[in-house]
């Protein structure tokens, strides 16, 4: 690994990493490179959103009936245009599109599918709180030339790579290809992501911080209520909740802790989406030595049924996720 004085760009790091995979064709490296380019473009717009008057609703709604902020639409377009023509992609899937996104016939198709949440935490755009992009990469498994829904409905354990971009006090890209977790910080003056966090691992002992929206306390199952009462009482935990998934998970990755978005009476499957939010983040945290669960099963083992399927989410330091599962054992299906 480079010493603290060496400057390593993400491009250089990807090439170095590729050497460990003799069978690597370079397609995979190119996809990560293309996502990094999209991240730079989105970061530039996020940084000037307040100035461009592009804040506020686009007057559109996405597939979940949520108001779509213009940056959501912009980020969605940027990712599509960064990936659609490269010849590496069989099809795409986005939080902002009801169905899978085919590669136009005029472009060659490839062997990989990318699923993404182009802009996570979009309700925070107008108040200048950190937002993010989340991505998940699978190998195509269907036999046709072009990708199908089957290629997208794969369990998180079969992801080839996963990552996120955090548009925070600085813009960071964090990814894993199954060989550890690596973080890069964007130097806007160079337009380069520079390796700033090689080999990220969750700290032991972990910081005792839990992260959950307690406004829903009265809708939770009894075991969930008991768990949070213990965490903030006898357990001696502190609390942090940004309400922007990528920011909450990034903090948990760096400091340890337990992020939760449980099911409740109004949201029997929880709020967060499996394929392009929780499965990629679960791969990242697991690769860093942590765990991710839906409260009963390892999130990476869930066989997806639909593209926008939601899941309860428990993610963070291994011992804290195990603890949460023990408290939830008492809860029947809501
Ligand atoms: P998105 O903006 O992509 O729809 O995701 C928003 C999510 C996630 O960022 C965050 O963890 C969660 O919404 C916060 O939900 P609550 O406001 O219900 O806490
Ligand atoms: Mn999201
Ligand atoms: Mn989103």
């Amino acid at each position: 690994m480079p010493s603290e004085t060496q400057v390593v760009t993400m491009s250089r790091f990807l090439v170095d990493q590729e050497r460990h995979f003799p069978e690597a064709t370079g397609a995979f490296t190119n996809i990560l490179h293309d996502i990094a380019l999209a991240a730079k473009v989105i970061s530039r717009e996020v940084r000037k959103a307040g100035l461009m008057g592009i804040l506020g609703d686009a007057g559109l709604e996405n597939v979940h009936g949520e108001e779509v902020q213009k940056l959501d639409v912009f980020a969605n377009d940027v990712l599509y245009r960064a990936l659609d023509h490269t010849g590496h992609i069989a099809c795409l899937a986005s939080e902002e599109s009801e169905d899978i996104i085919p590669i136009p016939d005029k472009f060659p198709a490839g062997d990989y599918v990318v699923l993404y949440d182009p802009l996570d935490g979009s309700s925070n755009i107008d108040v200048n709180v950190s937002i993010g992009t989340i991505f998940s990469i699978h190998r195509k498994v269907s036999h046709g030339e072009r990708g199908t829904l089957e290629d997208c409905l794969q369990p998180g354990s079969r992801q080839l790579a996963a990552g996120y971009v955090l548009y925070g006090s600085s813009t960071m890209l964090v990814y894993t290809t199954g060989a550890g977790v690596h973080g890069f910080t964007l130097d806007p003056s160079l337009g380069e992501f520079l390796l700033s966090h090689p080999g990220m691992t969750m700290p032991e002992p972990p910081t005792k911080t839990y992260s959950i929206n307690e406004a829903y306390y009265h809708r939770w199952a009894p075991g969930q209520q008991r768990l949070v009462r213990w965490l903030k009482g006898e357990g001696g935990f502190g609390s942090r909740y940004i309400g922007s998934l990528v920011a909450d998970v990034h903090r948990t990755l760096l400091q340890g802790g337990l992020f939760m978005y449980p099911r409740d009476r109004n949201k029997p499957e929880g709020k967060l989406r499996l394929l392009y939010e929780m499965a990629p983040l679960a791969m990242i945290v697991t690769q860093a030595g942590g765990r991710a669960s839906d409260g009963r099963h390892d999130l990476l083992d869930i066989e997806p049924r639909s593209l926008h399927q939601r899941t309860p989410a428990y993610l963070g330091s291994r011992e804290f996720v195990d603890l949460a599962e023990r408290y939830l054992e008492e809860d029947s299906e809501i």
Side-chain angles (χ1 to χ4, degrees):
M1 278 304 160
S3 69
E4 61 280 358
T5 55
Q6 281 183 11
V7 173
V8 178
T9 63
M10 182 171 160
S11 312
R12 162 75 186 285
F13 188 82
L14 284 169
V15 170
D16 288 349
Q17 288 289 301
E18 194 180 298
R19 290 204 187 103
H20 300 316
F21 303 94
E23 78 289 352
T25 62
F28 195 48
T29 300
N30 287 347
I31 293 171
L32 287 166
H33 201 271
D34 296 335
I35 291 172
L37 174 62
K40 293 175 193 174
V41 174
I42 295 167
S43 180
R44 184 185 60 193
E45 291 309 304
V46 165
R47 297 296 170 213
K48 59 185 183 184
L51 305 173
M52 297 288 284
I54 62 173
L55 291 178
D57 302 342
L60 307 172
E61 283 204 344
N62 68 11
V63 293
H64 315 287
E66 296 151 347
E67 284 192 332
V68 178
Q69 301 267 350
K70 281 182 181 170
L71 266 181
D72 272 353
V73 176
F74 176 80
N76 198 41
D77 291 349
V78 166
L79 274 161
Y80 174 70
R81 282 186 283 113
L83 293 165
D84 68 341
H85 60 285
T86 62
H88 301 311
I89 305 295
C91 70
L92 300 167
S94 168
E95 178 193 74
E96 303 302 337
S97 303
E98 178 70 27
D99 301 313
I100 66 168
I101 305 166
I103 296 301
D105 294 341
K106 64 185 174 184
F107 296 135
D111 298 328
Y112 300 93
V113 298
V114 182
L115 304 94
Y116 48 84
D117 178 354
L119 210 67
D120 175 81
S122 44
S123 57
N124 293 306
I125 295 170
D126 283 344
V127 294
N128 211 7
V129 166
S130 299
I131 49 183
T133 295
I134 311 169
F135 61 90
S136 167
I137 305 178
H138 282 284
R139 185 181 300 282
K140 180 164 85 79
V141 291
S142 63
H143 300 296
E145 189 210 341
R146 305 262 151 175
T148 65
L149 182 60
E150 177 198 4
D151 298 309
C152 298
L153 298 185
Q154 299 187 59
S157 55
R158 285 222 292 267
Q159 290 176 105
L160 292 177
Y164 59 83
V165 185
L166 177 59
Y167 311 100
S169 44
S170 61
T171 294
M172 271 197 77
L173 190 152
V174 176
Y175 82 85
T176 181
T177 59
V181 179
H182 307 291
F184 302 80
T185 301
L186 181 64
D187 178 334
S189 67
L190 298 176
E192 289 281 6
F193 277 108
L194 304 181
L195 181 64
S196 53
H197 297 67
M200 297 172 81
T201 55
M202 297 194 72
E204 278 298 334
T207 307
K208 291 167 64 172
T209 300
Y210 74 94
S211 182
I212 191 168
N213 186 337
E214 295 199 51
Y216 308 133
Y217 177 87
H218 295 293
R219 303 182 197 160
W220 296 337
Q224 179 65 48
Q225 290 178 335
R226 252 173 21 87
L227 168 62
V228 171
R229 285 202 306 270
W230 181 86
L231 289 169
K232 65 200 304 186
E234 206 181 316
F237 276 58
S239 167
R240 282 284 183 284
Y241 189 70
I242 303 167
S244 193
L245 177 62
V246 174
D248 279 318
V249 170
H250 185 68
R251 181 200 58 248
T252 305
L253 181 66
L254 288 177
Q255 297 178 350
L258 175 61
F259 172 82
M260 296 174 275
Y261 204 110
R263 57 164 55 99
D264 67 35
R265 266 202 302 275
N266 296 13
K267 296 183 279 231
E269 294 302 316
K271 172 181 184 182
L272 301 175
R273 277 55 64 111
L274 174 62
L275 285 176
Y276 43 78
E277 289 178 322
M278 292 318 302
L281 295 173
M283 183 180 183
I284 288 274
V285 166
T286 306
Q287 277 286 314
R291 262 204 76 198
S293 164
D294 67 355
R296 288 179 176 74
H297 315 287
D298 199 301
L299 266 175
L300 293 174
D301 296 338
I302 298 176
E303 287 288 342
R305 299 179 311 277
S306 63
L307 207 50
H308 301 289
Q309 170 177 337
R310 298 176 191 268
T311 175
Y314 297 81
L315 172 151
S317 304
R318 183 167 287 279
E319 64 235 60
F320 297 160
V321 176
D322 295 347
L323 173 79
E325 288 182 334
R326 288 197 296 275
Y327 269 85
L328 296 172
E329 272 164 13
E330 75 167 74
D331 290 339
S332 59
E333 293 291 326
I334 286 188

